[in-house]
Amino acid sequence: MLIPCLACESRFGPDEYFSACSDYNRGLDLVSWTCPHCGNRDDLRVLPDELGFGYPHRGRFDVHARVRVPGLRRHRGDLRLDISLDRASWHVSTPLRPVGVPVRLTAGGGSARRRRPAL
Ligand SMILES: [Zn+2]
């Protein structure tokens, strides 16, 4: 099973491919992947039996392309994603935020204060 880079179409074995994953984003459920060959950076979601490629959009991750990887499994942890395929497994950590930078939790967005419509 070889997994292609969608930019340069190089193909990688699972170990080389998943070792290039980084920065698990639990909120959007995606990992970053940097192609060892061309340096292209993609966001992808690890799904059962497939990888989903797409773009973060309005606080969600929209999957636009899927690559079948039969046997692919994932387990979501608090600060990491465990990926397994056949008997191998990889761990992708969530990057720790720099100290002193507050985590912004924005739900829904918009101001709490409503403005009256202008008459
Ligand atoms: Zn590439």
Side-chain angles (χ1 to χ4, degrees), residues 1 3 14 18 47-51 67-73 85:
M1 175 74 217
I3 306 167
F18 291 113
L47 294 160
D49 297 318
E50 64 185 11
L51 296 171
V67 172
R68 295 277 300 162
V69 185
L72 187 66
R73 294 289 176 264
L85 180 66

Side-chain angles (χ1 to χ4, degrees), residues 5 8 35 38:
C5 168
C8 70
C35 177
C38 71

Side-chain angles (χ1 to χ4, degrees), residues 5-10 12 33 35-40:
C5 168
L6 297 185
C8 70
E9 299 189 355
S10 297
F12 303 95
W33 183 77
C35 177
H37 183 75
C38 71
N40 175 59

Side-chain angles (χ1 to χ4, degrees), residues 10-119:
S10 297
R11 293 174 162 270
F12 303 95
D15 197 40
E16 194 176 7
Y17 192 90
F18 291 113
S19 297
C21 288
S22 63
D23 300 349
Y24 174 51
N25 182 326
R26 195 178 200 287
L28 293 178
D29 190 18
L30 60 83
V31 298
S32 296
W33 183 77
T34 306
C35 177
H37 183 75
C38 71
N40 175 59
R41 198 170 159 117
D42 260 328
D43 292 322
L44 61 96
R45 178 176 290 164
V46 178
L47 294 160
D49 297 318
E50 64 185 11
L51 296 171
F53 294 85
Y55 306 95
H57 177 68
R58 295 187 183 180
R60 314 175 11 167
F61 182 68
D62 291 338
V63 172
H64 292 282
R66 292 165 190 268
V67 172
R68 295 277 300 162
V69 185
L72 187 66
R73 294 289 176 264
R74 53 99 170 254
H75 177 79
R76 298 176 70 183
D78 277 342
L79 286 172
R80 72 176 205 196
L81 180 71
D82 295 341
I83 303 168
S84 60
L85 180 66
D86 300 329
R87 263 170 244 145
S89 64
W90 300 268
H91 309 295
V92 184
S93 304
T94 301
L96 296 175
R97 288 163 201 282
V99 175
V101 178
V103 179
R104 276 169 58 101
L105 292 173
T106 48
S111 167
R113 236 186 304 173
R114 288 205 175 186
R115 286 190 192 172
R116 282 166 195 263
L119 294 174

